[in-house]
Amino acid sequence: MRLLRSTDLALRLLMRLAVADDATTPTTRRVAADMGVPYTHAAKVVAELQHRGLVDARRGRGGGLALSARGRAASVGAVVRAFEGDGDVVDCEGATPCPLNSACRLRGALRRAQEAFYAALDPVTIQDIAADPTGPLLLGISRGPARAGDHREPAVVPSGGQG
């Protein structure tokens, strides 16, 4: 199963906020830059997370994003369902309905596989996936590259690929 980009971003954003300290509440613009995604895309995801009560967003001076208590305890499965929807994996009744629709066994098998996927994610919380050793990496990503006059090491971002 492949997740939508918005689902992936929502999970990474929640993880990042789970390790944020109160002194440095990140903004949507900063999180978008840290994660290398367009600001408009991040803003839509933040709005949806805020609407669901998982993120608190404050505007203006001293504003920023914070993970709500509900967000910290949120089930990864519930977040994925919210962004992916509960629809079928395949669209059997779309513009060109499948001729096997009335006697298809694949649709049910795919539905069961989808539910097993969600069931495996349901007991896992945002706090669980942001715990060590992930937490320090998330904080490293948020530091961004070193700037002139800045004496810290550049952030190391895992490539995710094989080297």
Side-chain angles (χ1 to χ4, degrees), residues 80-157:
V80 172
R81 273 188 192 89
F83 278 84
E84 295 288 321
D86 255 347
D88 288 325
V89 175
V90 292
D91 186 11
C92 300
E93 299 172 19
T96 308
C98 177
L100 301 175
N101 200 10
S102 64
C104 182
R105 300 176 88 188
L106 178 60
R107 186 178 189 178
L110 290 173
R111 179 53 119 165
R112 287 188 299 277
Q114 181 183 29
E115 283 307 312
F117 173 76
Y118 288 139
L121 295 175
D122 283 340
V124 182
T125 67
I126 297 301
Q127 189 62 43
D128 294 337
I129 61 175
D132 285 346
T134 306
L137 285 173
L138 289 163
L139 291 173
I141 290 169
S142 68
R143 288 186 199 107
R147 293 171 180 78
D150 193 350
H151 299 291
R152 65 184 166 187
E153 293 295 315
V156 176
V157 180

Side-chain angles (χ1 to χ4, degrees), residues 10-132:
L11 291 170
R12 289 189 292 137
L13 194 142
L14 290 169
M15 290 168 61
R16 170 60 185 91
L17 294 178
V19 297
D21 60 10
D22 292 335
T24 58
T25 50
T27 63
T28 302
R29 193 165 303 280
R30 181 69 211 177
V31 169
D34 290 346
M35 294 185 181
V37 299
Y39 168 75
T40 54
H41 189 59
K44 288 177 187 176
V45 169
V46 166
E48 182 64 24
L49 292 170
Q50 185 179 15
H51 173 73
R52 294 184 178 280
L54 304 176
V55 169
D56 295 323
R58 294 178 308 281
R59 292 179 175 262
R61 187 179 177 131
L65 304 173
L67 189 63
S68 69
R70 183 176 178 183
R72 192 168 303 283
S75 158
V76 172
V79 173
V80 172
R81 273 188 192 89
F83 278 84
E84 295 288 321
D86 255 347
D88 288 325
V89 175
V90 292
D91 186 11
C92 300
E93 299 172 19
T96 308
C98 177
L100 301 175
N101 200 10
S102 64
C104 182
R105 300 176 88 188
L106 178 60
R107 186 178 189 178
L110 290 173
R111 179 53 119 165
R112 287 188 299 277
Q114 181 183 29
E115 283 307 312
F117 173 76
Y118 288 139
L121 295 175
D122 283 340
V124 182
T125 67
I126 297 301
Q127 189 62 43
D128 294 337
I129 61 175
D132 285 346

